[in-house]
Amino acid sequence: MDATTGTAPPRAAAAARLAGPLRPLWPFLLLLAIGLAMPLTGNEYWGLITTRMAIYWVLVAGLNLIVGYAGQLAIGYVALLAIGAYTTSVLAAGNVLPPLPAFAALGVAGLAGAVFGVVVGLPALRLRTFYFAMTTLGFATIVTQITLAWQDVTGGGIGIAGPMLPAPFDTTWGFLYFCLGFAAICTWLTANIARSRFGRALVAVRDAEVAAEASGIHKPKLLVLVFILAGALAAMAGGLFATLQTYITPDAFTFDLSLLFFIAVLIGGRGSILGPLLGTAILTVLPEIAAPLAAWSTFLYAALLLVIVLAMPGGIAALIDPRNRRNLPENRVIGPQPAALDALLGRREVPAPLTLRGIVLAFGGVRAIDGVDLEVTPGQVHGLIGPNGSGKTTTLNVISGYYRPEAGSMAIGPAPLPAGKPQGRAGLRIARTFQTPRLIGEASVLENVMIGGTTDGRTGFAEALLALPRQRQEEREFEARARLALEAVGLAGLAEARADRLQHSELRFMEIARALMLRPAFLLLDEPAAGLSTEEIRRLGALIRGISRHGTGVLLVEHHADLIFDICDQVTVLNLGKVLAAGTPAEIRVHKEVVSAYLGA
Amino acid sequence: MPISAPERSLLEVRGLEAGYGKIAVLHGVELGIGAGEVVALLGPNGAGKTTLLRALSGLLPVTAGSVTFDGQALTNASPRDAARAGMVHVIEGHRVFTQISVADNLELAGYDLPRGERAARIEEALAFFPEIAAKRRDRGGALSGGQQQMLAVAQGLVRRPKLLMLDEPSAGLSPVLLDRVLGVVRELCAKGTSVLLVEQLIEKTLAVSHRVYAMAQGRIVLAADAKEEDLPHRLERAYFGEDVPTALHA
Amino acid sequence: MLASIIASGLAVGAVYALIGITYNTMFATSRVMSFTAGQLGMLGGVFGSLFTLRLGLPILPALVLTLACCALIGVVTEIVAVRPVLKSLDQHLYVLTTLAVALLIQHMTAMEWSTEPQPFPRLLDLGSGIWDEKYWLPVAVCILTILGLEYLYRRTLVGRAFVAIAEDNFAARALGLPERNLRIASYALAGAIGALAGFAGGQLLLAFFANGPLLNFYGFIPVALGGLGNNRGAVIGGFLLGLFQQAANFLVGGIFSSVAVFTLFIIVLLAAPQGMFGAQAARRV
């Protein structure tokens, strides 16, 4: 028997999701309790190790957003630790300016970290992965060299005393409690970001950059915000590190330390908070348990890194994530609920049509599209068909801004539609799907769909950081809208499932749900029926019809001729980049040239 | 309906399934090619023709089913093994190597062959295409699209294949080129080489073919003799579904 | 002074260029940038010192053994860190796997060889002053290597198969080229080239485990400047970098010269991410 997936989700699941990356909360509380209970052991050495763990975590918590969430391979973060440590120490010692109180120095270090966090991060906006990894590595090297060379300020190789915090934080246990408290706050802050639209956008940039752009996510702005946060946290961790060490020299900031931070995130697992936290704890403690491990710690870290990447790409997080074990029902059926479209799309004022005039685009001398005219009318389904290489998907990519045409114009009603600028399309309510579904495999289906609404977010980064009421309200609205969209496409029962566990056909419908999140005025569908069964194609057809009847103009690129002739109001046929014919399905169906172009007769 | 069975079977494909990642494209493809036979493989875009060719030649992993070639099991063989066994795949899009010369492109096609043998085979392949034989010192990138396609076909010929699989040799190029390629197909056929031809230009293709397979949505939906009277109508029905009035019916 | 800046600049530039070629050789057949490139250079020096000074072998057998060892390490890299992640190249997992292997190599060397720079023998005992072999030997080796590679790529079938795979891996496979064997061969070749860099530059850089990350970075700059996979670009970039670095060394002192190099590197990269002679980015949609 079929298990219908169109039923409403249980309330408990919805509540659990809102706890986001801190769910379940008890492991975090347990770790904190262990830390707080340390003085009971009376063992100051382990107190110091716990303090160091907390300090490392302050840095890793921020780095986690960059490496684990945004997928940027920043391997030289020890540089920011050093910057923070030296800034705090130098300011507190007063060998350049009048001495500052330790907390003020720590605050200034945070600011310096924010600035340098952006400096280190900027190349990521332009460079590919390996290049970026190299630049962070180079940055780490030169920071160490500067600390050595700038003797007047940093004390060079001799070093400088770390700042002393005022009472009651000037004892081993007082300092431990301070660091634990600070680490707890950092956990909370980064978890807030992780579960906000910013966190989802970071993951989208990592796993589905093109879809992220189409959803209106502005990658540079997003990354800069996160670089600021991570840089500030790392530098403040550096200040605390200097206090812990009591005396710092450039030798304290080895590349091995950088590696520890980086690998802690990867061992922990991407897109998790608890995983990297455990990773940090394990990597900090491991060399302390057995003396031989200390000498070989880097070797161990590297071996762990290799094993994790090759054998356990999900890291610790994958082991502890219950979504991996829960079985999805077999024989599930995608049952779109057109009724949900009423609630989702509602009555909207009908926008003006989307028009293309004389679009020309060539790749390396070959004209992929050669003077295409097209008009997508709101409330109608417009089919775009033609043989392979006739320019269908290219036309779609011109509309959604990925390609700049060499000639021709686009407009929505009287307003010209600027060429290029794919991130701007979501703001104009132009949504799209892709030939190959672009998804975030590690995120839930619900989160994947919520990506589509990013551009409607009104609350800022700071509000998300502190999880202020307005931001939480907005999140609830996003979630409700995403659940409606999932209901509309018939995937409501799979909202909590990890997206990479879905079948191919379900991913196609999930992409449509993501596009519907935008309440689109225009919806561009790129071969949505590819790989679907006959029954699924029929339901897809009904869904597309339903969407268009709520006022959305749909442009449908498709190979399945029966689907095109079934649901389209207008059909344009492309051949060799030119419009071969345009008209109603009935006209096209009997168009001699079309039949021969299509059949190749 | 009886279809004239080939004299001696060269390629036997049974229940073949293949795809890209999660996307299953081929659903139980059944197909056979006889020695010395020219077979056209037709079908609309996205039907799975290219995928089928790639699965046969080992460029794409096969998830189920079997491929038997010349009495040898070739399911999931590497492209190299397939080529050595005599099944050569000329991929779509005239993808020759642009940085090296025409002659070097052909040398690489005979990578495994002994040096003397290779030179002889290259001359043999070039004999089919005098226009590129004249440009053997030029870089592959200096050729026109049509010449690159001829070079790609010539690369396939260097192996002296038992079965040559051509994927859309005319795509994006002038129809005149197809005539040249089909001329070669005729010559090869006369010498006993089998050809599996994927093409959009149906009429010309059918003229050189013995038999036709049509694919839609990852399945073989039609197997027929190329000279059959009713073929265009049957093809159209196979693509567009059974009961719609059509231009050809009207 | 100028003469010695030029001599040492060209010498270190040649070593950087060779490491750049090592990157390129691996990249060509696999589209992978490997962090092991600099480590291979480091090992060239360490193995050279090991075989000659510690084990007392004559220069030539020591060189052959060094090349063989590094070629083997190249092959191991391919098997352990490259092949398993080639299927999902777009996830860039190779950055992590090759980093891991590079660190394993580096740390193993530190623990089993020495954490202090060890001496490297004079090889030919020719020249003195700015004409000392330690300056011209790397340059000569670099020139010979590039000539050898040009011969390989232009005159031999295997070399043209490398070129073909670099240009269009799929078409090369379809043609029946033994793509996997050729990739392994190119990693072995890269290992040998890296070893040559370390061996020829041994008298300048010594046998020191920490040379690995340094060569990784300074060898990468010529690649970034010259464009991925462009050996001639890497040679030009390498010599320019070497001269710039040595001039900055002389003018502003060793530590700030690294800052100068790094700053210049970032500026050039941001201005021309594809390098000065680079190719265009691939289509994304």
Side-chain angles (χ1 to χ4, degrees), chain B residues 124-229:
Chain B
E124 190 181 300
L126 280 176
F128 283 98
F129 300 105
E131 51 273 72
I132 60 167
K135 298 196 168 199
R136 65 173 73 201
R137 300 262 158 261
D138 293 12
R139 285 192 314 130
L143 301 185
S144 72
Q147 289 166 335
Q148 286 182 342
Q149 185 61 55
M150 291 186 212
L151 176 54
V153 175
Q155 279 181 319
L157 296 179
V158 170
R159 289 269 180 180
R160 228 181 256 164
K162 292 178 187 136
L163 171 66
L164 183 67
M165 304 194 288
L166 299 174
D167 196 355
E168 303 215 5
S170 79
L173 303 171
S174 86
V176 182
L177 179 87
L178 185 62
D179 297 335
R180 291 280 292 112
V181 172
L182 293 181
V184 173
V185 169
R186 270 199 198 88
E187 283 182 62
L188 287 174
C189 173
K191 290 179 180 169
T193 304
S194 301
V195 179
L196 178 60
L197 184 58
V198 174
E199 245 311 319
Q200 297 274 350
L201 302 174
I202 293 189
E203 270 173 24
K204 287 181 174 182
T205 308
L206 288 183
V208 300
S209 305
H210 299 115
R211 285 191 307 127
V212 178
Y213 285 103
M215 286 185 82
Q217 296 181 30
R219 291 180 179 83
I220 299 284
V221 291
L222 177 95
D225 203 283
K227 305 292 175 282
E228 213 170 294
E229 285 289 311

Side-chain angles (χ1 to χ4, degrees), chain A residues 277-501:
Chain A
L277 175 56
L278 292 174
T280 311
I282 291 169
L283 291 189
T284 316
V285 172
L286 217 51
E288 307 294 340
I289 304 175
L293 289 182
W296 286 88
S297 61
T298 309
F299 192 83
L300 199 71
Y301 297 160
L304 261 176
L305 177 62
L306 193 61
V307 170
I308 287 280
V309 174
L310 295 183
M312 212 173 80
I316 297 172
L319 293 178
I320 56 181
D321 189 347
R323 282 180 303 183
N324 286 325
R325 292 194 294 273
R326 202 178 302 146
N327 280 329
L328 298 179
E330 298 280 325
N331 297 327
R332 45 194 199 271
V333 167
I334 307 168
Q337 309 282 318
L341 287 175
D342 292 333
L344 179 66
L345 300 176
R347 300 247 167 273
R348 293 167 301 166
E349 54 180 296
V350 175
L354 170 70
T355 48
L356 272 63
R357 288 282 167 263
I359 298 290
V360 176
L361 177 61
F363 293 118
V366 182
R367 287 202 162 188
I369 25 182
D370 191 2
V372 164
D373 296 335
L374 194 69
E375 180 164 315
V376 185
T377 314
Q380 293 201 348
V381 183
H382 194 121
L384 191 58
I385 61 173
N388 271 341
S390 58
K392 305 179 298 283
T393 296
T394 311
T395 306
L396 213 80
N397 284 334
V398 167
I399 299 177
S400 48
Y402 288 104
Y403 299 150
R404 275 172 187 279
E406 277 137 40
S409 63
M410 296 183 282
I412 298 178
L417 179 63
K421 302 206 175 95
Q423 315 93 334
R425 295 306 194 247
L428 297 166
R429 308 250 153 245
I430 300 176
R432 69 167 292 176
T433 66
F434 298 88
Q435 240 176 54
T436 320
R438 311 275 173 132
L439 66 139
I440 305 155
E442 288 161 19
S444 71
V445 171
L446 186 69
E447 287 163 324
N448 266 283
V449 173
M450 286 167 82
I451 294 284
T454 304
T455 192
D456 284 341
R458 291 289 163 266
T459 54
F461 193 76
E463 279 172 281
L465 194 61
L466 301 170
L468 296 182
R470 192 164 82 110
Q471 193 267 344
R472 294 208 302 272
Q473 174 60 29
E474 188 179 89
E475 279 294 302
R476 279 192 290 275
E477 283 166 18
F478 272 140
E479 181 174 336
R481 211 203 291 176
R483 288 194 187 277
L484 266 181
L486 279 172
E487 202 180 320
V489 302
L491 294 175
L494 293 172
E496 321 300 331
R498 265 173 69 120
D500 56 7
R501 303 189 65 202

